[in-house]
Amino acid sequence: LDVSPSAEARVLVINTGGTIGMMYHNNVLCPEPNALVKALRKLHILHDEQYAQQTKLYEYYEHPENTLVLPLSKQNKRIVYTVIEYCPLLDSCNMTTDDWAAIGKDIEKHYEKYDGFVILHGTDTMAYTASALSFMCEHLGKPVILTGSQVPIYEMRNDGRDNLLGALLIAGQFVIPEVCLYFHHKLYRGNRVTKVDAGSFNAFNSPNLAPLANAEVDIKINWDTVWRANTTAKFRVNTQMNRNVGLLRLFPGITSETVRAFLQPPMEGIVLETYGSGNAPDNRADLLEEFRKATERGVIMVNCTQCLRGSVTTSYATGKALSDAGLVAGCDMTPEAALSKLSYVLARKDLTTQEKKKMLSHNLRGEMIADLEGAKLTLSDS
Amino acid sequence: LDVSPSAEARVLVINTGGTIGMMYHNNVLCPEPNALVKALRKLHILHDEQYAQQTKLYEYYEHPENTLVLPLSKQNKRIVYTVIEYCPLLDSCNMTTDDWAAIGKDIEKHYEKYDGFVILHGTDTMAYTASALSFMCEHLGKPVILTGSQVPIYEMRNDGRDNLLGALLIAGQFVIPEVCLYFHHKLYRGNRVTKVDAGSFNAFNSPNLAPLANAEVDIKINWDTVWRANTTAKFRVNTQMNRNVGLLRLFPGITSETVRAFLQPPMEGIVLETYGSGNAPDNRADLLEEFRKATERGVIMVNCTQCLRGSVTTSYATGKALSDAGLVAGCDMTPEAALSKLSYVLARKDLTTQEKKKMLSHNLRGEMIADLEGAKLTLSDS
Amino acid sequence: LDVSPSAEARVLVINTGGTIGMMYHNNVLCPEPNALVKALRKLHILHDEQYAQQTKLYEYYEHPENTLVLPLSKQNKRIVYTVIEYCPLLDSCNMTTDDWAAIGKDIEKHYEKYDGFVILHGTDTMAYTASALSFMCEHLGKPVILTGSQVPIYEMRNDGRDNLLGALLIAGQFVIPEVCLYFHHKLYRGNRVTKVDAGSFNAFNSPNLAPLANAEVDIKINWDTVWRANTTAKFRVNTQMNRNVGLLRLFPGITSETVRAFLQPPMEGIVLETYGSGNAPDNRADLLEEFRKATERGVIMVNCTQCLRGSVTTSYATGKALSDAGLVAGCDMTPEAALSKLSYVLARKDLTTQEKKKMLSHNLRGEMIADLEGAKLTLSDS
Amino acid sequence: LDVSPSAEARVLVINTGGTIGMMYHNNVLCPEPNALVKALRKLHILHDEQYAQQTKLYEYYEHPENTLVLPLSKQNKRIVYTVIEYCPLLDSCNMTTDDWAAIGKDIEKHYEKYDGFVILHGTDTMAYTASALSFMCEHLGKPVILTGSQVPIYEMRNDGRDNLLGALLIAGQFVIPEVCLYFHHKLYRGNRVTKVDAGSFNAFNSPNLAPLANAEVDIKINWDTVWRANTTAKFRVNTQMNRNVGLLRLFPGITSETVRAFLQPPMEGIVLETYGSGNAPDNRADLLEEFRKATERGVIMVNCTQCLRGSVTTSYATGKALSDAGLVAGCDMTPEAALSKLSYVLARKDLTTQEKKKMLSHNLRGEMIADLEGAKLTLSDS
C-alpha cells in the first residue's frame, strides 16, 4: 500500500445543490441536505476508507468529517477531497448573480490550499454559472470544474458517480487553468457549453469548440485546446457583476412595443439572439429605431445567433443593419457566455462605453474564437 | 424518349426569396429578382430543354415562361414544375405572419392543379414558417416542402441545387401529406425542425423526431414516421393568426420588471423558454406572481425547454411551480412550433381560454409526441 | 418496504468471462475466478442486502450463495438474479463454436425458471457470439442479453456496473424475445452489431438497424423495431454448427493462390468481404475461376461488404461477376452475422445445397432487411 | 473580369475511372471513356468558357482540348485544370499495385508543372490507393487529392460535381503536402481513411484522425493536423512495392490449416486483423505455432485491430501472445494503410528483417500516431 503523502493531491468540492444530491419527496425531486458525504463514504469507487485509516488521513487534514479519499488512480495518485455543502442547497433554476459570487469567493478563499476545485451544481443553469465564473476568475492557475448529473446519485441507475469521479480525477491530476464543465466522459471549456438535452446523460454540448479532454478507457487531454492566459498576475475573483442585463430572442412578428418594454431602464445591456449568422429584420424601421435609441442612451447590445452552432458575420444586408444600429458582434459566443460577459464588463466602472464595447468584442477567456479573420482561410501564397 | 404525359407530375415552386436566390452587391448578399428561372433553365440537372421541345411542353402548360422540367427520374417520372416568384423577394428575417398567410393562400389557390408544392425560403426563419404553415394547412393531402440554401445557387460551391432538386423529386413522387422541410439530403417534419448551424450545409435538425426521408444514393422514405391525419375533410388554409404572441427565454437574474414589461398588453400569449425539463425559479415569488397575474387576465403561456432536445415534465419542484401558475406544458415542441401553434390557437374566437389551453396541450399536426405517458415505458406484464 | 413476491422478476446471469471480471496481474489483464458475486454483493446499486434479509430471499431461492437482488426499480419491480460462472473463465478471444453451444445449452436448461438471461462476455468476440446465439435459439420467447465492459468492474472508473445494471433491468422487465447486446446505454439486436471502437466506452455499433432501446434518464423501448417471430413453436437450442467456415477479406492484388489456399477442403463455406456494395474484380479470370470451382464443388460463399454500413447490390459489373460465379448476396448482414448464419445453415444435413443457399438469402432472425425490394423505394402512385 | 495570369493555379486531374464517370448499360454501371471532359465543359460550376475565350487560355496551355478553368474562386483565384484519362478506365475493384505505380509515375512526370493533383478514382479501393500513394510519394511538397463519387456525374442527383469541385479548389489553393482524400465536404489524410458506407454520400471516415479540412459554407483548413515532413529532399516516387502481402481477419474457430494455407510461400508479409486492442487466442497453441513459424522464416506480420476505431496495445494476455510470437504492433493504422506500408517496406531490399520491422513500427507519413506513449496521458507534475 502506497502511503506516501507526496502522491496526494487535494481537491475542494463545493456542493451548491442540483439533481446529483436530490431525493424524491412526493414524486418531486428536492435537494437533500447533509446526505451527500455520508453516501459517498459508502461508495468504494469514491472513497477508500482502508487507506484513510492506515494513513491516519483524518488526523492530518482539517474537516475530517467532510474529507474523503479516492482509490489509487492509474497515475498512482491519491485524490484527497473535502466537501463543503451550501445551506440551503439550491436547485440551479434558483441561482442568481449572488450565488455565482459566493462560489467565486469560496474558490478564492481556499485557492492556495487545494490543487483543484469541483463545483457540484444543477444542470439547468450550469452553463450560465460556468460562463460567469470564467470571467469572475481572473488569472486562474488551477482547474475549476463544474459537474452534476441528470439522475440523483442515490438512484440505482445514475450518472452522478461517474461525473463526480471524472471531475475529481481531472481536477486533482492535470493543470488545466480554466473554468471547465465535466459531463458524460467529456471535459469542456465552461464558457463554451450549453445544455442541449433534457433527457439524456449526454446533456451538454460545446458547439464551437472541441472538448478539452475525453475520459474513455483512458483520460486524454487535448492540450492544444487548453487555454493559457499569458499572465503571471495573482489570481483573484472579481465578483462585481451588473445585474441589469437580459437575453432577448428575436422571432417573426416581434413588435417594437415588446422590444421597447424589454429595453427600458434599468436595463443596461442585452444579448440579442438573432437569426442565422447574426441577422435581424432590416425593413423594420420601428425595431431598428428602438435598438438605435437604446444604444444611444448607453445600452450595450451584443449580437449572438440563436443557432446552436456558428458565428455572427456581416455577409447579409439584414446583419449589417444591426451593426449600423450600434450592436457589438458576439462572434461565436454562446448566449450564456455573452450574457455573463456583458454582466462582467458592464460592472467595470473605470471604462467608457466605447471601451466596454471593445472589451466585449475581444476574447478574454477563450469564450470566442481568438482571431476571426485568421480562422477562416489561410491561402497558400497570398 | 419517353414522352407519355401520364408519367408527368406537377409541382408548384413558390420562390419567396432567401439566400438560394441572392447575389453579392458590395460584398453583401441581397435578393436578386427575375433571375432564378433563367439560371435554372441553364442547369441540366434542373431542366431538360430537349424533352420540353420534343413534347411541346410549353404549349401544353400555362405560364410556359416559368415552367421547367426535370430529367427523367429513377422512378421513370418527369417532374414538371412552375415557378412563382414573390415581388419583392424577401430575406426571411423580414417575414411576418402576413407573409405566412400569403404563402398559405397561394397553396390553397393552386392546390388542385399540382401534385406537390416546394417553397423556396431563407433559412433564418424557415423553421418558423414551416411550423406556421403546418397549422394553417388544415386537412392537407399533398406534400408542401420548404427548402433553400446556405450559399446562393449562383455561387460555384453551393447547396441550392441539391436542395431544390431533392425537394422537387420528393414533392412530385411521394404522397407525404405534411408540411416538410428538406435540407442536406434529409426530409424533416416542418414543425419539428430548428436551425442549428449558421455555417454548415447541414443547417437544420429535428431534435425530437427522426427524419421522414433520407435522400442518399437512393431516396428512402420512413413511412412509419409520416403523419396521416385521420380525416377526409376538404383541404383549406386558415390564415387567422394572432400576432400578439411572444417568446421569452428565462435566464438567471431575470427581473420581474422585465417579465412584467414583456407580458403587458396587448400580449395575449407567450412561449416561455425554461430550463431543462421545463423548470423555472420556484423561490422567486415576484416572478411567479407575474406569471400568475398574466394567466389570470387570460394570457396563455406555454412552457417549452430552452434545451435543443427533450421534453418538459413535472419531476422537479421548480417545474411544478410553473404548472401551478397556470402554464401549459409544451411537451417536446420546438419554440418555433409552440409560438406558431399559440398564434393559430389564439386566433380561434370560437373557443374559451380553457378550450384553447386544451388544444395547445394536444397533438394537432405531429408537432409533439402523441401520447406522453405511453411513450416513456411499456412494461412487459403490467 | 414492498416485499410482495409477485413484484419479482428472475434473471439468470451466465458469466463466461471477459474484461468485466478481469484483474491486473503483472500489468496484464486476466480473468479472476470466484470474485464477481462477492464484488457485486458490496455494490448498493447492484444488490440490496436489506431487502434480501427482510424477505428471506436466500431461503426461498436455490443457489442462495449466487443469488442477488437489485434495489426497487422505477417500475416497482425487484430483479432477483442468480450468477452462474464458467470454469475456467474465458477471454472472449479464446471462444469457439463449442463455447457458443455451451451457453445455448445453459439457456435451454434454465429457460423455464427465468424471465430473462444476461450473458457476461468479453467484448472482442461478443458480436460473433451474439450472432451465433441468435441462430441457435429457435422460437425464442424471452430476452437473452449479452453484455460486458471495456474496463473491469473492479477498477475505479469502469463501465461494467452500468452495463450489467442496464442489462438486468431490461432482461427482467421487458418481453423482448431476441438475442440482444446491451452496451453504453443502448440495446441492440445481437446479430446486427459489430465492435467499432477498441478504446471508448461506446464500443459497439449497429450500422444498419436502429437500437432496440435507449436507456438514458428513462428506458425507452423502440417497440416497432423489436423482432417477433410469427411462431408458437416451443423454444429450443440447436447447437449444430458447421466449423468449416471462414471469413476472407478482398484486397487489391490478392492472388488466386491465396484464394485457392483459403478455399481448399475442408472449407465448406466462406463469407467473402467484398468492396462497396458487393464488388470484386471482374477482370481477374483467375480469381473468378477459383470462386466458380469452389461453388461447383459445393462450397457456399456469401457476399458481404467490408464497409461498416450498407448493403450488397448488383448495380455494378464488378458485383454481377460474383453472383454469376455462384455467390449468395449477403444483403446488409454484418460479417459476424453472415459467418454464424453460414455455420448454422451448413449444419442442416436435411437440406440440399440449393435449399441452404435459399435459406442464407432469407431473413431468419432479423439479421438482414426483410424485403430488399420493398425497402428501397415506395412510389406514391406506381 | 480579372484576367491576370498570376492569379491562376494549375491542377492536373488524373481520371483513372470509377463511378464518377460511369454510365448505365443494361442496368449495370460501366466506365464511359472520352466523356468526362465533354460533360465538364458544359457545367458552369466546373468550367468558365467565357474566361477561357477572353484570356485565350487554349493558346497558352498545352493540351487545350483537355484543359478547363473554374469560375473565379472566393479567394480570387482561377484554377486551370487539365484532365488525363486512363485507357481503359478502371473500376477500382480491378486496381492492382501496377495501377498504383502508374498513378505515382504520372504525378512524378508532371510534378513541376502543376500546383496540385486530383486523382479521380472509384470509391471501392480508394482508401487502399490513397494509402499506397502516401508511401510511394517520398518528400512530397504539393497536394495530391483522391476523389470520386457514389453516383455518376451524369446522373441528376449526384455527388461527383461537388467532390471534384472541392478537390480542385483545395488542390489549387492550399499547400497541403500530403496524399489526401476529399469526399462529402471533408478532406482527410489519405492513409487514415476507410470506406464505411456503401449507400451514403458520406462514404468515408478517418476513424483515428480528425479531417484536415472542412469545406462547408467556407473552406477551413485545420493547419495543426496537416503533416509536414521535416525534409528538404527532392520529391520522388518509389514504385517498388512487394506484392506478396495479404490481409487476414481473425474469427472464432479459425483453423490452423486456414492460417497455414494463408501464410504459405510466396507470402512475405501479412496484416493480421485481430480483435479489440490487438488480441488473438492465447490458448490456441496450434495457431500461435503457425504465426511463430512464419515469423521465423521471415514473414513479417503486422497486428491491426478489426475495430473501426482504436489502437493495438498490450494490456491483455491475449494481446501479449502475439507480440511474443513476433508480430509488429500496428498501432492505430487502418488495415488499408498497414497493407500498403508493408508492401512498401518489404520492397526495400537494402534493409534487414529487423530494420523492416522497425520501419513498420515507426510513423512514416502520418499514418499512425507519432508517439504512442506521449499521446495517452500527460500528468501535471510527473
Side-chain angles (χ1 to χ4, degrees), chain A residues 248 250-264 270 272 281 283-294 297 301, chain B residues 96 243-245 261-262 264-267:
Chain A
L248 180 61
L250 281 187
F251 51 88
I254 189 171
T255 62
S256 53
E257 289 76 22
T258 297
V259 171
R260 189 186 318 131
F262 202 88
L263 286 171
Q264 74 196 11
I270 70 158
L272 188 70
N283 68 351
R284 291 280 306 277
D286 58 336
L287 276 191
L288 294 168
E289 178 67 11
E290 293 299 332
F291 293 145
R292 202 186 47 73
K293 285 197 297 193
R297 70 173 183 265
M301 302 175 72
Chain B
T96 64
R243 299 191 59 162
N244 297 320
V245 294
F262 201 88
Q264 74 196 12
M267 194 67 87

Coordinates of all heavy atoms in Angstrom, one line a residue, chain A residues 248 250-264 270 272 281 283-294 297 301, chain B residues 96 243-245 261-262 264-267:
Chain A
L248 N -32.7 38.6 -25.1 CA -33.9 38.8 -26.0 C -33.8 38.0 -27.2 O -32.8 38.2 -28.0 CB -34.1 40.3 -26.2 CG -35.4 40.6 -27.1 CD1 -36.6 40.2 -26.4 CD2 -35.4 42.1 -27.4
L250 N -35.1 37.1 -30.9 CA -35.9 37.6 -32.0 C -36.9 36.5 -32.4 O -36.6 35.3 -32.4 CB -35.1 38.0 -33.2 CG -34.4 39.3 -33.1 CD1 -33.7 39.6 -34.5 CD2 -35.4 40.4 -32.8
F251 N -38.1 36.9 -32.9 CA -39.0 35.9 -33.6 C -39.8 36.7 -34.6 O -39.9 37.9 -34.5 CB -39.9 35.2 -32.5 CG -40.6 36.2 -31.6 CD1 -41.8 36.7 -31.9 CD2 -40.0 36.5 -30.4 CE1 -42.4 37.5 -31.0 CE2 -40.6 37.4 -29.5 CZ -41.8 37.9 -29.8
P252 N -40.3 36.1 -35.6 CA -41.0 36.8 -36.7 C -42.2 37.5 -36.0 O -43.0 36.8 -35.3 CB -41.5 35.7 -37.6 CG -40.5 34.6 -37.4 CD -40.1 34.6 -36.0
G253 N -42.4 38.7 -36.3 CA -43.6 39.4 -35.8 C -43.4 40.1 -34.5 O -44.3 40.6 -33.9
I254 N -42.1 40.0 -33.9 CA -41.9 40.7 -32.7 C -42.2 42.2 -32.9 O -41.9 42.8 -33.9 CB -40.4 40.5 -32.2 CG1 -40.2 41.0 -30.8 CG2 -39.4 41.1 -33.2 CD1 -38.8 40.6 -30.2
T255 N -42.9 42.7 -31.9 CA -43.3 44.1 -32.0 C -42.3 45.1 -31.4 O -41.5 44.7 -30.5 CB -44.7 44.3 -31.3 OG1 -44.5 44.1 -29.9 CG2 -45.7 43.4 -31.9
S256 N -42.3 46.3 -31.9 CA -41.4 47.3 -31.3 C -41.8 47.6 -29.9 O -41.0 48.0 -29.0 CB -41.4 48.6 -32.2 OG -42.8 49.0 -32.3
E257 N -43.1 47.4 -29.5 CA -43.5 47.6 -28.1 C -42.8 46.6 -27.2 O -42.3 46.9 -26.2 CB -45.1 47.4 -28.0 CG -45.9 48.5 -28.6 CD -46.0 48.4 -30.1 OE1 -45.7 47.3 -30.7 OE2 -46.3 49.4 -30.7
T258 N -42.8 45.3 -27.7 CA -42.1 44.3 -26.9 C -40.6 44.7 -26.7 O -40.1 44.6 -25.6 CB -42.2 43.0 -27.6 OG1 -43.6 42.6 -27.7 CG2 -41.5 41.9 -26.9
V259 N -40.0 45.1 -27.8 CA -38.6 45.4 -27.7 C -38.4 46.6 -26.8 O -37.5 46.6 -25.9 CB -38.0 45.7 -29.1 CG1 -36.6 46.3 -29.1 CG2 -38.0 44.4 -29.9
R260 N -39.2 47.6 -27.0 CA -39.1 48.8 -26.1 C -39.3 48.5 -24.7 O -38.5 48.9 -23.8 CB -40.1 49.9 -26.6 CG -39.8 51.3 -25.9 CD -40.9 52.3 -26.2 NE -41.3 52.2 -27.6 CZ -42.5 52.2 -28.0 NH1 -43.5 52.2 -27.2 NH2 -42.8 52.1 -29.3
A261 N -40.3 47.7 -24.4 CA -40.5 47.3 -23.0 C -39.3 46.6 -22.4 O -38.9 46.8 -21.3 CB -41.8 46.4 -22.9
F262 N -38.8 45.7 -23.2 CA -37.6 44.9 -22.8 C -36.4 45.8 -22.5 O -35.6 45.5 -21.6 CB -37.3 43.8 -23.8 CG -36.6 42.6 -23.2 CD1 -37.2 41.6 -22.7 CD2 -35.2 42.6 -23.2 CE1 -36.5 40.5 -22.2 CE2 -34.5 41.5 -22.7 CZ -35.2 40.5 -22.2
L263 N -36.2 46.8 -23.4 CA -35.0 47.6 -23.3 C -35.1 48.8 -22.3 O -34.2 49.5 -22.1 CB -34.7 48.2 -24.7 CG -34.2 47.2 -25.7 CD1 -34.1 47.8 -27.1 CD2 -32.8 46.7 -25.3
Q264 N -36.3 48.9 -21.7 CA -36.5 50.1 -20.9 C -35.6 50.1 -19.6 O -35.2 49.0 -19.2 CB -38.0 50.3 -20.5 CG -38.5 49.3 -19.5 CD -40.0 49.2 -19.5 OE1 -40.7 49.7 -20.3 NE2 -40.5 48.6 -18.5
I270 N -28.1 44.1 -23.3 CA -28.8 42.8 -23.6 C -28.0 42.0 -24.7 O -27.2 42.6 -25.4 CB -30.2 43.1 -24.1 CG1 -30.3 43.7 -25.5 CG2 -31.1 43.8 -23.1 CD1 -31.6 43.4 -26.2
L272 N -28.9 40.0 -27.8 CA -29.9 39.8 -28.8 C -29.7 38.5 -29.5 O -28.7 38.4 -30.2 CB -30.0 41.0 -29.7 CG -31.2 41.0 -30.7 CD1 -32.5 41.4 -29.9 CD2 -31.0 42.1 -31.8
P281 N -34.5 41.7 -38.9 CA -35.2 42.4 -40.0 C -34.5 43.7 -40.3 O -34.2 44.5 -39.4 CB -36.6 42.7 -39.4 CG -36.7 41.7 -38.3 CD -35.4 41.5 -37.7
N283 N -36.0 45.7 -42.7 CA -37.1 46.5 -43.2 C -38.1 47.0 -42.1 O -39.1 47.5 -42.4 CB -37.9 45.7 -44.3 CG -38.7 44.6 -43.7 OD1 -38.5 44.2 -42.5 ND2 -39.5 44.0 -44.5
R284 N -37.6 46.7 -40.9 CA -38.5 47.1 -39.7 C -37.9 48.3 -39.1 O -37.2 48.3 -38.1 CB -38.6 46.0 -38.7 CG -39.3 44.7 -39.2 CD -40.8 44.9 -39.1 NE -41.2 45.3 -37.8 CZ -41.4 44.5 -36.7 NH1 -41.2 43.2 -36.9 NH2 -41.7 44.9 -35.5
A285 N -38.2 49.5 -39.7 CA -37.6 50.8 -39.2 C -38.0 50.9 -37.7 O -37.2 51.5 -36.9 CB -38.2 51.9 -40.0
D286 N -39.2 50.5 -37.3 CA -39.6 50.6 -35.9 C -38.7 49.9 -34.9 O -38.3 50.4 -33.9 CB -41.1 50.2 -35.7 CG -41.3 48.7 -36.2 OD1 -40.5 48.2 -37.0 OD2 -42.2 48.1 -35.7
L287 N -38.3 48.7 -35.3 CA -37.4 47.9 -34.5 C -36.0 48.5 -34.4 O -35.5 48.6 -33.3 CB -37.3 46.5 -35.0 CG -38.3 45.4 -34.7 CD1 -37.8 44.0 -35.2 CD2 -38.6 45.4 -33.2
L288 N -35.5 48.8 -35.6 CA -34.1 49.3 -35.7 C -34.0 50.6 -34.9 O -33.0 50.9 -34.2 CB -33.7 49.4 -37.1 CG -33.6 48.1 -37.9 CD1 -33.4 48.3 -39.4 CD2 -32.4 47.3 -37.3
E289 N -35.1 51.4 -34.9 CA -35.2 52.6 -34.2 C -35.1 52.4 -32.7 O -34.4 53.1 -32.0 CB -36.5 53.4 -34.5 CG -36.7 54.7 -33.8 CD -35.7 55.8 -34.2 OE1 -35.0 55.6 -35.2 OE2 -35.7 56.8 -33.5
E290 N -35.8 51.3 -32.2 CA -35.7 51.0 -30.8 C -34.2 50.6 -30.4 O -33.7 51.0 -29.4 CB -36.6 49.9 -30.4 CG -38.1 50.2 -30.6 CD -38.5 51.3 -29.6 OE1 -37.9 51.5 -28.6 OE2 -39.5 52.0 -30.0
F291 N -33.6 49.8 -31.3 CA -32.2 49.4 -31.0 C -31.3 50.7 -31.0 O -30.5 50.8 -30.1 CB -31.7 48.4 -32.1 CG -32.4 47.1 -32.0 CD1 -32.7 46.4 -33.2 CD2 -32.8 46.5 -30.8 CE1 -33.3 45.2 -33.2 CE2 -33.5 45.3 -30.8 CZ -33.7 44.6 -32.0
R292 N -31.5 51.5 -32.0 CA -30.7 52.7 -32.1 C -30.8 53.6 -30.9 O -29.9 54.1 -30.3 CB -31.0 53.5 -33.4 CG -29.9 54.4 -33.9 CD -30.4 55.2 -35.1 NE -31.7 55.8 -34.9 CZ -31.9 56.8 -34.1 NH1 -30.9 57.4 -33.5 NH2 -33.1 57.3 -34.0
K293 N -32.1 53.8 -30.5 CA -32.3 54.7 -29.3 C -31.7 54.1 -28.0 O -31.1 54.8 -27.2 CB -33.8 54.9 -29.1 CG -34.5 55.9 -30.1 CD -35.8 56.4 -29.7 CE -36.8 55.2 -29.5 NZ -38.2 55.7 -29.4
A294 N -31.8 52.8 -27.9 CA -31.2 52.1 -26.8 C -29.7 52.3 -26.7 O -29.1 52.7 -25.7 CB -31.6 50.7 -26.7
R297 N -28.6 55.8 -25.7 CA -28.7 56.1 -24.3 C -27.7 55.2 -23.5 O -27.8 55.2 -22.2 CB -30.1 56.1 -23.8 CG -30.7 54.8 -23.7 CD -32.1 54.9 -23.0 NE -32.7 53.6 -22.8 CZ -33.6 53.0 -23.6 NH1 -34.0 53.7 -24.7 NH2 -34.0 51.8 -23.4
M301 N -25.6 46.3 -26.6 CA -26.3 45.2 -27.1 C -25.3 44.3 -27.9 O -24.5 44.8 -28.7 CB -27.4 45.6 -28.1 CG -28.4 46.5 -27.3 SD -29.7 47.1 -28.5 CE -30.6 45.7 -28.8
Chain B
T96 N -43.2 38.0 -41.8 CA -44.1 38.2 -40.7 C -45.3 37.2 -41.0 O -45.4 36.5 -42.0 CB -44.7 39.6 -40.7 OG1 -45.4 39.8 -41.9 CG2 -43.6 40.6 -40.6
R243 N -51.3 37.9 -33.7 CA -49.9 38.4 -33.7 C -49.4 38.8 -32.3 O -48.2 39.1 -32.2 CB -49.8 39.6 -34.6 CG -50.2 39.2 -36.1 CD -49.8 40.3 -37.0 NE -48.4 40.6 -36.9 CZ -47.8 41.3 -37.9 NH1 -48.4 41.8 -38.9 NH2 -46.5 41.6 -37.7
N244 N -50.3 38.8 -31.3 CA -49.9 39.3 -30.0 C -49.3 38.1 -29.2 O -49.8 37.8 -28.1 CB -51.0 39.9 -29.3 CG -51.5 41.2 -30.0 OD1 -50.7 41.9 -30.5 ND2 -52.8 41.3 -30.1
V245 N -48.3 37.5 -29.8 CA -47.6 36.4 -29.1 C -46.1 36.7 -29.0 O -45.6 37.5 -29.8 CB -47.8 35.1 -29.9 CG1 -49.3 34.7 -29.8 CG2 -47.3 35.2 -31.3
A261 N -42.9 43.8 -18.1 CA -42.9 44.5 -19.3 C -43.2 43.7 -20.5 O -44.0 44.0 -21.4 CB -41.5 45.2 -19.5
F262 N -42.7 42.5 -20.5 CA -42.8 41.6 -21.7 C -44.3 41.1 -21.8 O -44.8 40.9 -22.9 CB -41.9 40.4 -21.6 CG -41.6 39.7 -22.9 CD1 -40.6 40.1 -23.7 CD2 -42.4 38.6 -23.3 CE1 -40.3 39.5 -24.9 CE2 -42.1 38.0 -24.5 CZ -41.1 38.4 -25.3
Q264 N -47.0 42.6 -20.7 CA -48.0 43.7 -20.7 C -48.9 43.6 -22.0 O -48.4 43.2 -23.0 CB -47.4 45.0 -20.5 CG -46.6 45.6 -21.6 CD -45.7 46.7 -21.3 OE1 -45.4 47.0 -20.1 NE2 -45.2 47.4 -22.2
P265 N -50.1 44.1 -21.9 CA -51.0 44.1 -23.1 C -50.3 44.9 -24.2 O -49.5 45.8 -23.8 CB -52.3 44.8 -22.6 CG -52.3 44.6 -21.1 CD -50.8 44.6 -20.7
P266 N -50.5 44.6 -25.4 CA -51.5 43.7 -25.9 C -51.1 42.2 -26.0 O -51.8 41.4 -26.6 CB -51.7 44.2 -27.4 CG -50.4 44.7 -27.8 CD -49.8 45.3 -26.6
M267 N -50.0 41.8 -25.3 CA -49.5 40.4 -25.4 C -50.7 39.5 -24.9 O -51.2 39.6 -23.9 CB -48.3 40.3 -24.5 CG -47.5 39.0 -24.7 SD -46.7 38.9 -26.3 CE -45.2 39.7 -26.0

